[in-house]
Amino acid sequence: MMMNESLLNYRVAATPVSARIRARLKRDGARFHANDNIADYIEAGEMDALLDEVSERMEGVLESLVIDTANDHNSRETARRVAKMYLREVFGGRYVAAPPVTEFPNAAQLNELMIIGPISVRSACSHHLCPVMGKVWIGVMPNRHSNLIGLSKYARLAGWIMSRPQIQEEAVVQLAELLEEKVKPDGLAVIMEADHFCMQWRGVKDNDARMINSVMRGAFLEDIALRREFLALIKR
C-alpha cells in the first residue's frame, strides 16, 4: 500500500503542472481557450510550478531561435522574465479569479444614463500575441433593481477581461456579459477603440490602422435616442 502511494506521488510530481491543470479542465468539460479564465482549476502552489515550467520551455524557444542565453548577458534571464510577464501580467486575467466587486442596491432608484470612460486597456491578440492597446467606454442605464458598483471596479473588471490573449470582437462581448451579470441594468453599451500591433509592428505595418467596435444591449439597442445620446457624449 505504501509503495503504491509512493508511486502515485512520484507520478504526480513527474507530470508537468500544465498537464495536471489541463486534465482537470478536460475532466469537467471546461473550455480553456486563450481568452478563458481557468483560475478555478489551479490549485495552491501550482502557479509557482507553472512559472518554472513556462520558464524552462521559453528557454527552449530562445535556443531554437539560436540566441546564446548562456553568454549573452542581455538574454541570460529573458526566459524567466517573459514567463513572469505572461503569467502574472499580460495574461494574468486567465489565472486569477475576478477582482472583488462590492455591489450596492440602487436605493435612490437612479434611472439616468451613466457613462464610464475612457478606460485604458491592454491586451494581446490571440493570433500573434502582439500588443493591443486601447480605450473602453461603458454606458449603463440602471433601473431600481440594478446593483451599483464603484467607478474603479469598471476599470478593474475591464482589465481582468483584457489581460488575456484576446480578439477585440470577443473581448467587448465578454466584458458586456460580465457587467450585465454584476449590474443588471436596463441597458448596457460597451465601445472599444484600439491599436493592434499585429498590424502596426508586423504584416502591413500600418501605424494609423485601428479598430473600433461596440456591443449594445437592452435599452441601448432598442432606443435610438438613447444610443445617439451615448455616442454623442463619448465623442466629447
Side-chain angles (χ1 to χ4, degrees), residues 47 51 54-55 58 77-93 95 124 129-131 163-164 201:
M47 282 301 295
L51 175 60
V54 174
S55 298
M58 185 57 64
E77 296 296 326
T78 293
R80 192 161 189 86
R81 284 192 292 265
V82 171
K84 283 182 179 179
M85 177 187 72
Y86 281 144
L87 290 174
R88 297 179 180 174
E89 297 175 288
V90 181
F91 301 162
Y95 305 106
L129 304 186
C130 287
S163 56
R164 314 167 189 181
W201 193 20

Side-chain angles (χ1 to χ4, degrees), residues 13-27:
T15 303
V17 65
S18 62
R20 300 202 298 270
I21 296 169
R22 190 178 294 107
R24 293 180 204 126
L25 288 156
K26 289 183 175 180
R27 177 198 64 200

Side-chain angles (χ1 to χ4, degrees), residues 30-42:
R31 203 181 80 161
F32 52 102
H33 289 186
N35 61 355
D36 288 327
N37 178 272
I38 59 172
D40 289 344
Y41 293 88
I42 299 174

Side-chain angles (χ1 to χ4, degrees), residues 83-111:
K84 283 182 179 179
M85 177 187 72
Y86 281 144
L87 290 174
R88 297 179 180 174
E89 297 175 288
V90 181
F91 301 162
R94 297 197 75 231
Y95 305 106
V96 297
V101 174
T102 303
E103 301 168 12
F104 304 95
N106 187 3
Q109 298 189 9
L110 302 174
N111 63 351

Side-chain angles (χ1 to χ4, degrees), residues 217-224 227:
R217 300 279 174 86
F220 286 94
L221 190 61
E222 299 160 2
D223 188 335
I224 295 176
R227 185 162 66 248

Side-chain angles (χ1 to χ4, degrees), residues 23-234:
R24 293 180 204 126
L25 288 156
K26 289 183 175 180
R27 177 198 64 200
D28 289 356
R31 203 181 80 161
F32 52 102
H33 289 186
N35 61 355
D36 288 327
N37 178 272
I38 59 172
D40 289 344
Y41 293 88
I42 299 174
E43 297 181 354
E46 287 188 332
M47 282 301 295
D48 290 336
L50 194 57
L51 175 60
D52 292 338
E53 181 183 334
V54 174
S55 298
E56 182 180 346
R57 296 193 178 191
M58 185 57 64
E59 188 71 36
V61 171
L62 295 175
E63 288 178 6
S64 295
L65 291 171
V66 199
I67 295 175
D68 185 0
T69 58
N71 297 298
D72 178 4
H73 60 283
N74 291 318
S75 304
R76 194 165 295 145
E77 296 296 326
T78 293
R80 192 161 189 86
R81 284 192 292 265
V82 171
K84 283 182 179 179
M85 177 187 72
Y86 281 144
L87 290 174
R88 297 179 180 174
E89 297 175 288
V90 181
F91 301 162
R94 297 197 75 231
Y95 305 106
V96 297
V101 174
T102 303
E103 301 168 12
F104 304 95
N106 187 3
Q109 298 189 9
L110 302 174
N111 63 351
E112 300 294 336
L113 172 61
M114 297 165 46
I115 299 177
I116 303 95
I119 299 170
S120 295
V121 291
R122 300 161 187 83
S123 189
C125 77
S126 297
H127 295 157
H128 297 95
L129 304 186
C130 287
V132 176
M133 313 284 282
K135 296 186 182 298
V136 166
W137 291 262
I138 298 167
V140 178
M141 178 58 72
N143 59 56
R144 62 191 181 92
H145 301 295
S146 294
N147 297 321
L148 302 180
I149 63 176
L151 289 178
S152 66
K153 301 306 185 289
Y154 288 96
R156 293 187 187 280
L157 291 173
W160 182 66
I161 290 291
M162 296 298 169
S163 56
R164 314 167 189 181
Q166 282 284 12
I167 300 300
Q168 185 172 331
E169 305 94 302
E170 296 179 2
V172 292
V173 172
Q174 282 189 329
L175 180 56
E177 289 175 349
L178 178 63
L179 291 173
E180 277 194 308
E181 176 189 335
K182 296 290 183 184
V183 182
K184 299 178 175 59
D186 276 347
L188 180 75
V190 179
I191 289 183
M192 180 173 174
E193 177 180 356
D195 294 310
H196 289 247
F197 281 58
C198 57
M199 289 185 64
Q200 298 179 359
W201 193 20
R202 58 159 300 281
V204 296
K205 297 182 180 177
D206 185 341
N207 290 333
D208 296 321
R210 59 182 48 192
M211 181 176 183
I212 303 173
N213 64 327
S214 67
V215 173
M216 302 285 173
R217 300 279 174 86
F220 286 94
L221 190 61
E222 299 160 2
D223 188 335
I224 295 176
L226 176 63
R227 185 162 66 248
R228 285 176 177 167
E229 180 184 2
F230 169 68
L231 294 172
L233 287 171
I234 67 171

